[in-house]
Amino acid sequence: LLSFLPGLRGKIEDGLRAAIDTSQYCFRPDGREAFTVLFLGSFRHTPNQAALGWFARRVLPLVLERRPEARLVVVGAEPPPRYGLPNSSAIEVRGFVEDIREPLSRYAVFVCPILSGSGIRVKLLEAFAAGIPAVSTRLGAEGLARQDGEFCALADDPKAFAERILSLFEEPQ
């Protein structure tokens, strides 16, 4: 890209690839529904299915131990049947939404617990543009964030992932 547009030198950071039109998103740093966690993904993609299963079974119970009022909101095309998830009143399956910017501006914490697959998670870029605090696995943030706290919180084991969410519940800024 720099060979075609040398004027971008100093504006492009190595290792960070992909983009969205941030002008289409309303950056909302506050006024969100407290203690809500948003999971977003097309469930035709098996890494999203595995990520949701891992999160709902291994991470969410740890969050609920300390914050029983917390809830997980699942958004995305072709969501898993409700019986495929743990039986918990803390899980709401919304399924497909017309405009992803609505849930991105509404809920308190965005999670990207991807455990397999490759490529840039555009959903993380959308979360960043919407100002929703985010927690991701390192694989989920591959190509977007290199270290914990740089652009989002990073954690790869259930306990650390839950701790990052709980911390963001307390201090979303």
Side-chain angles (χ1 to χ4, degrees):
L1 185 58
L2 287 174
S3 68
F4 294 104
L5 298 167
L8 292 177
R9 191 165 315 286
K11 296 178 182 177
I12 298 175
E13 195 171 329
D14 288 339
L16 303 176
R17 356 175 258 280
I20 61 164
D21 182 357
T22 58
S23 69
Q24 299 300 308
Y25 295 79
C26 178
F27 186 85
R28 186 174 179 193
D30 53 20
R32 297 171 175 279
E33 288 181 28
F35 310 113
T36 53
V37 176
L38 173 63
F39 182 99
L40 165 66
S42 168
F43 294 97
R44 283 177 241 139
H45 189 54
T46 54
N48 285 332
Q49 296 169 23
L52 177 60
W54 178 81
F55 184 82
R57 287 178 179 81
R58 310 254 336 259
V59 180
L60 184 59
L62 299 173
V63 172
L64 292 171
E65 280 178 18
R66 296 229 322 260
R67 282 292 181 182
E69 69 273 37
R71 67 190 219 315
L72 169 65
V73 180
V74 180
V75 171
E78 298 183 31
R82 188 66 188 86
Y83 63 78
L85 294 170
N87 185 17
S88 172
S89 61
I91 300 174
E92 174 189 342
V93 178
R94 283 188 59 185
F96 176 78
V97 295
E98 283 295 324
D99 187 347
I100 193 57
R101 293 173 295 183
E102 181 269 325
L104 286 170
S105 69
R106 178 176 173 185
Y107 301 116
V109 175
F110 180 85
V111 293
C112 184
I114 299 295
L115 305 171
S116 64
S118 62
I120 298 298
R121 313 294 173 235
V122 174
K123 59 185 154 195
L124 261 178
L125 292 174
E126 292 173 314
F128 298 163
I132 182 173
V135 182
S136 179
T137 56
R138 282 173 171 69
L139 181 64
E142 186 176 47
L144 297 175
R146 295 183 202 124
Q147 57 190 347
D148 184 31
E150 181 180 22
F151 299 109
C152 61
L154 297 174
D156 292 317
D157 68 84
K159 185 175 185 204
F161 208 102
E163 287 296 327
R164 299 303 189 287
I165 292 167
L166 291 162
S167 175
L168 288 171
F169 279 170
E170 299 306 318
E171 287 193 60
Q173 300 79 7

